[in-house]
Amino acid sequence: MFDFDLVLPRSVDIREVGMRDGLQLEAPVPLEGKLAMLEALVATGVRRIEATSFVSPKAVPALADADAVAAELSRWPGVHWSALVANPRGAVRAVDSGVADLEYVVSASDGHSRANAGRSTAEAVAAVGEIAALAHGAGGSLEVIIATAWDCPFDGRTPVGRTVDVARAAVTAGADQLCLGDTIGTTTPLRVVTLVDAVRRACPGTAVGVHFHDTRGTGQANALAAVQAGVTQLDASVGGLGGCPFAPGASGNIATEELVYMLEESGVHTGLDLDALLAAARVTEEAVGHELPSSLYRAGGRSVPRSAEARR
């Protein structure tokens, strides 16, 4: 016997990023396939979906149909839709397409910033104000996602102070909330809690979410550590799809169905239906044309005891 309390929130808010981060490394999926994925994802009960990214079609051909996807989102009025942008031009495209809730990526490391966006971190931060103004002018919001918040594939470990400085500058320039990205899946629970605490102290009153990759098998552990630290906004991708095309070795995100399974079985309400998530994973697998990395999906969901007849 032992006395141990696992302190967890009553509920969390999961954002589904499979439509953007999940597909950006894939061969282009036809619009019909993407709409089938969206239909299946909405059926899970998810309240927030990152629908697409308004970036250069040459850089990310899998998302070249961002405008066409955005034009279909009114089919599902109960979902909070957002889109990622890489610069003010992308923000204008998104707003003109009817998506006013924007995500803008700023890499905490110069090496990844130059590979991902062709400019330094300081130059990327300098655009936050303009993008925030575009989002706010359209009645939307701006979330700054800080990529390579813990580690960079080019520059190595990102100092905590550097990520904190980017966070503070983004909020000062007009960001409504922040998200810390483990772009190459290298961080660990203690480092997660340390950085989350530092960013919160620097930006009091600003919501801080997390975006983990499971490249080295620590994604779920990091998510649990973040939730224990009070984080209630987490990103996940159906089937564990995803990765960054400009970060060597950045494989899939944490799988939405695995995150939901872990949290719901721990008494944390997500509002997402696990069976519907498995169905969405099947639709996604068909759309991308290959097996998904999610262990839970391959296992078929929750364990179901076999009947006495089945054991004979």
Side-chain angles (χ1 to χ4, degrees):
M1 295 292 295
F2 61 92
D3 184 14
F4 178 74
D5 289 326
L6 187 63
V7 180
L8 297 169
R10 301 172 75 93
S11 64
V12 299
D13 185 13
I14 296 174
R15 173 170 56 195
E16 173 58 54
V17 300
M19 296 301 302
R20 194 279 303 178
D21 199 355
L23 292 180
Q24 67 180 1
L25 285 180
E26 300 291 329
V29 172
L31 181 61
E32 294 76 14
K34 290 185 177 181
L35 295 180
M37 287 176 61
L38 283 170
E39 186 75 42
L41 288 170
V42 172
T44 69
V46 67
R47 297 174 295 277
R48 293 191 300 143
I49 297 178
E50 182 186 53
T52 187
S53 178
F54 290 86
V55 295
S56 166
K58 291 183 179 180
V60 188
L63 303 178
D65 60 353
D67 300 272
V69 170
E72 301 291 339
L73 300 181
S74 59
R75 296 188 189 190
W76 304 282
V79 177
H80 176 92
W81 301 103
S82 63
L84 184 140
V85 302
N87 49 47
R89 293 189 304 279
V92 170
R93 280 184 59 204
V95 168
D96 287 347
S97 296
V99 182
D101 291 309
L102 307 181
E103 304 154 17
Y104 172 52
V105 175
V106 176
S107 301
S109 62
D110 278 320
H112 184 260
S113 186
R114 294 190 185 282
N116 186 54
R119 57 184 180 269
S120 68
T121 298
E123 290 169 327
V125 169
V128 171
E130 183 178 356
I131 296 172
L134 288 165
H136 296 158
S141 62
L142 176 64
E143 174 179 343
V144 169
I145 300 176
I146 305 178
T148 59
W150 284 276
D151 294 294
C152 171
F154 306 102
D155 300 345
R157 184 165 293 204
T158 306
V160 170
R162 184 174 176 89
T163 300
V164 168
D165 286 344
V166 171
R168 186 186 292 112
V171 171
T172 300
D176 300 291
Q177 63 186 74
L178 301 167
C179 182
L180 303 176
D182 181 24
T183 307
I184 55 173
T186 52
T187 196
T188 51
L190 180 59
R191 296 182 67 200
V192 168
V193 174
T194 298
L195 183 59
V196 167
D197 180 65
V199 170
R200 279 178 170 164
R201 289 177 183 274
C203 306
T206 301
V208 179
V210 289
H211 178 112
F212 295 122
H213 286 234
D214 199 33
T215 313
R216 289 163 178 81
T218 59
Q220 293 289 342
N222 292 333
L224 181 60
V227 169
Q228 284 186 267
V231 173
T232 57
Q233 296 189 357
L234 301 97
D235 287 356
S237 175
V238 61
L241 280 180
C244 176
F246 308 104
S251 56
N253 297 274
I254 56 174
T256 310
E257 60 274 13
E258 292 183 349
L259 181 62
V260 167
Y261 175 79
M262 178 182 72
L263 292 175
E264 291 282 351
E265 290 291 318
S266 300
V268 180
H269 180 66
T270 66
L272 276 68
D273 181 89
L274 185 60
D275 290 335
L277 278 169
L278 294 172
R282 286 192 290 274
V283 173
T284 300
E285 188 170 67
E286 182 176 345
V288 299
H290 63 77
E291 291 186 355
L292 302 177
S294 166
S295 297
L296 183 71
Y297 174 64
R298 293 197 302 272
R302 292 186 176 91
S303 175
V304 177
R306 296 183 179 182
S307 65
E309 290 79 14
R311 288 197 299 268
R312 291 174 184 166

